[in-house]
Amino acid sequence: MDLFDGLKAKIKGQNRTVVFPEGDDVRIYSAAARLAQDGLVKPILLGDAKKIVEKASKDDVDLKNVEIINPDNYSEEKKQEMVDALVERRKGKNTIEEVLKMLTDVNYFGTMLVYLHKADAMVSGAVHPTGDTVRPALQIIKTKPGVKRISGAFVMQRNNERYIFADTAINIDPDAATLAEIAVESAHTAEIFDIEPKVAMLSFSTKGSAKGDMVTKVQEATKLAQEKEPEMEIDGELQFDAAFVPDVGASKAPDSKVAGHATVFVFPELQSGNIGYKIAQRLGHFEAIGPILQGLNAPVSDLSRGASEEDVYKVAIMTAAQVR
């Protein structure tokens, strides 16, 4: 089954609500209309309802099943609830005046809807840079218990093959503890997308075949990840061929349950992760779906500013599938 066919079946009829802060963008409201029509999510667009409906009408987009909230016209009672909650969440780091200013930013407003459980998830980034989406999520939704850093993963899909590559988006040079967190969160991401997690901690060395600080870091991260999730199949350090090719895995790491059968590939730092997924995408003709932000208390996804309507539609489906 195609990834998205499976995800659609998982979320259809679940009434999961996704807020889109960039509601007046044609790609956003067109995707929201499709999502509502297909019964996959309940979309909330932020923006001036009159202007959005007028634009959508000109584009022959029907928004009858899409909720639109104008932050400027939000009821005083609901706005006060949001202000009080944000002041409390920031724990003295921002004054009421500063919080009021923050809430004029649609990404902060949308994030607060998620925090207050008025939406299940958020998708932004078609207009705003990554930091504008991630910053409010980190300040308000924050990371899950036991997780100190968020990370980014891609689902790599080609025909019936499906893998997770991480971290490919966020952490430039993670230490061993962060790398261990990335491994565990990536395994959980794999489960969401119906991939049996077999986690390979990648390196240029396999089981001590080379020495150096970079190898030691991956070895330490592997140990920490295994201690964190002893029932999970996590192994390293492994070269990519040892992780991926059964014959090579059997030769280089004969006692490993992961070698030669890995489905989740954890790169030692962002540079190799970013290069790796793009090589698979361009030379291997894999579809790279993401990035998925891992480790947050609630799902938030960051779109590329070059995203198409189809990209928005798919990312929203993936985001809704992460709601627990």
Side-chain angles (χ1 to χ4, degrees), residues 148-151 166-168 171-187 199-203 213-226 228 234 237 264-270 272-273 294:
K148 294 182 179 179
R149 301 288 293 273
I150 66 167
S151 57
D167 182 356
T168 48
N171 297 284
I172 294 175
D173 188 15
D175 60 16
T178 302
L179 205 55
E181 281 187 358
I182 292 168
V184 171
E185 289 305 307
S186 298
V199 184
M201 309 294 285
L202 297 180
S203 175
D213 291 343
M214 290 182 287
V215 175
T216 301
K217 180 179 80 168
V218 177
Q219 291 171 339
E220 291 176 354
T222 301
K223 183 179 179 181
L224 290 171
Q226 290 169 339
K228 189 183 287 275
I234 302 171
E237 86 284 13
V264 178
F265 299 90
V266 178
F267 293 83
E269 30 66 36
L270 181 59
S272 58
Q294 305 180 140

Side-chain angles (χ1 to χ4, degrees), residues 41-62:
V41 304
K42 295 170 66 177
I44 300 174
L45 302 179
L46 299 187
D48 185 313
K50 183 178 179 182
K51 290 180 180 178
I52 292 172
V53 170
E54 286 177 356
K55 287 181 69 174
S57 180
K58 289 178 182 178
D59 292 321
D60 199 27
V61 175
D62 184 357

